[in-house]
Amino acid sequence: MDGFGEAQLQAVREAMPDYLANVHGVTDLRRNFRCIHPDHEDRHPSMGYDARACRVKCFSCGASGDVFEVAGWDSGAEAFPDKVRAAASGAGIDLGECTSPCRPRRAARKPARRAPRQIEGQDVLPAVQGAFAALYEEPGAVALDWLRRRGFTDEKICRFGWGWVQHPSDIFTTGFERAPMVEAGYICLPFPEGEGWHAVRYATFRPCRNGAKPKEWKPKGAPSPVWREHLLRQSSAPVYIAEGIFDAAALTALLGVPACAMCGAGTGRVLDVAADTPPSERPAYVIATDADDAGRRFSETLQEGFAKIGAACSVMPPYPGGAKDAADVLRAKRVMP
């Protein structure tokens, strides 16, 4: 069904709040939220929603769009019909039962959580292993020194498989065309599938340059998984949920606990994975988001979502010394005499 009536398109367009809630876990549109554009690692809420225009706009990076453009960012769809289908699916609208000019039947405003989308693409594990080896060679010295100064030991660096590349295209042939060449290269942060590193199909890259923007580059058009997502399905110990990779890794380094990171996936995918896991197999979840307004909103959304699916969760106590996140705590511990 490639032809859509205007009534259908308008119904999907007006369902932007449903799409944002279902796909990104954004439920309060009265306040700014973190930018959802895949090329922007937004540490401070800078995107807002215009209810009259049914559009989002980031006041930091300038990204803006309606629900069709946002669905294109999330799904990688380029053709307009594909964007419409992705937007309708995310918003809970069934276009298959509708013919123009009838208005589509909208599902419940807050439908049951969906099965998480499978991460597709080529397995780049051999290239990631090469990047790890390069971290301990001369070109990767700057990256290795940066990680160590952040408080990460060689044992933790090895466990997480971090590495060094000159450019993200050394790992992925597509998806990083806009990433600039950086003299000191990039830190490679892979997302392993399973504790045994069965495969790697996704990674982010941090430029080895002070003040670089964005701080991390993600593959364009690819939906972001949760870092160490498999932990959300195992039940041997409580699993800590942080916002960023270094926060989750710092929790593991400081407390010896299993920790995962939402990264660009936001709360939506965390809740989808938890809901897709049989209740008897779910671990208890510990919410360890940042100690700022955005982190508190993430925490509230996760608590509400876990309550709806009957998952056990708790909230981590405040970080010591007024630190914003676990990475700050680990870094402070590293520089203490």
Side-chain angles (χ1 to χ4, degrees), residues 102-233:
C102 297
R103 187 179 182 85
R105 177 181 63 81
R106 180 175 294 192
R109 185 169 182 80
K110 292 187 178 180
R113 304 219 63 89
R114 304 169 302 159
R117 179 178 174 182
Q118 293 295 315
I119 303 303
E120 302 175 347
Q122 181 182 1
D123 179 9
V124 295
L125 179 57
V128 166
Q129 292 171 330
F132 170 73
L135 184 67
Y136 286 88
E137 297 173 354
E138 182 57 33
V142 172
L144 181 60
D145 179 65
W146 187 90
L147 291 169
R148 286 172 172 169
R149 284 188 288 106
R150 299 275 295 197
F152 295 109
T153 64
D154 288 352
E155 186 273 331
K156 289 296 184 288
I157 292 170
C158 178
R159 178 178 180 180
F160 300 134
W162 295 338
W164 177 89
V165 293
Q166 186 63 61
H167 189 268
S169 60
D170 295 344
I171 303 292
F172 295 97
T173 56
T174 61
F176 290 94
E177 290 78 9
R178 294 177 56 191
M181 291 298 299
V182 177
E183 182 178 357
Y186 289 75
I187 297 173
C188 174
L189 305 170
F191 287 51
E193 296 181 8
E195 194 68 40
W197 286 75
H198 309 303
V200 174
R201 305 181 196 280
Y202 190 93
T204 61
F205 299 85
R206 189 179 185 99
C208 298
R209 182 176 64 192
N210 291 332
K213 292 186 177 181
K215 291 183 179 179
E216 284 185 6
W217 284 85
K218 304 170 184 178
K220 182 179 181 181
S224 175
V226 174
W227 185 68
R228 305 189 78 203
E229 185 172 297
H230 61 279
L231 294 175
L232 294 171
R233 299 183 183 274

Side-chain angles (χ1 to χ4, degrees), residues 211-270:
K213 292 186 177 181
K215 291 183 179 179
E216 284 185 6
W217 284 85
K218 304 170 184 178
K220 182 179 181 181
S224 175
V226 174
W227 185 68
R228 305 189 78 203
E229 185 172 297
H230 61 279
L231 294 175
L232 294 171
R233 299 183 183 274
Q234 63 87 32
S235 57
S236 61
V239 174
Y240 287 62
I241 303 170
E243 294 182 39
I245 291 176
F246 293 124
D247 298 330
L251 286 168
T252 298
L254 290 165
L255 304 177
V257 297
C260 60
M262 294 186 290
C263 302
T267 58
R269 186 170 180 92
V270 170

Side-chain angles (χ1 to χ4, degrees), residues 69-94:
E69 291 165 297
V70 172
W73 301 343
D74 294 335
S75 67
E78 297 183 355
F80 183 69
D82 294 333
K83 293 180 181 180
V84 174
R85 295 188 186 92
S89 175
I93 291 177
D94 187 355

Side-chain angles (χ1 to χ4, degrees), residues 7-93:
Q8 293 175 304
L9 296 178
Q10 186 61 25
V12 179
R13 190 177 290 115
E14 292 175 356
M16 171 74 95
D18 296 327
Y19 183 92
L20 292 173
N22 297 340
V23 178
H24 292 283
V26 177
T27 57
D28 186 356
L29 297 178
R30 297 170 298 178
R31 298 181 290 185
N32 283 359
F33 48 94
R34 295 195 181 192
C35 181
I36 58 177
H37 193 280
D39 292 339
H40 182 195
E41 184 197 8
D42 193 8
R43 298 292 291 179
H44 304 284
S46 57
M47 178 166 273
Y49 174 65
D50 184 339
R52 289 178 296 181
C54 299
R55 295 179 65 87
V56 294
K57 178 178 175 60
C58 179
F59 300 98
S60 176
C61 72
S64 66
D66 60 12
V67 70
F68 307 120
E69 291 165 297
V70 172
W73 301 343
D74 294 335
S75 67
E78 297 183 355
F80 183 69
D82 294 333
K83 293 180 181 180
V84 174
R85 295 188 186 92
S89 175
I93 291 177

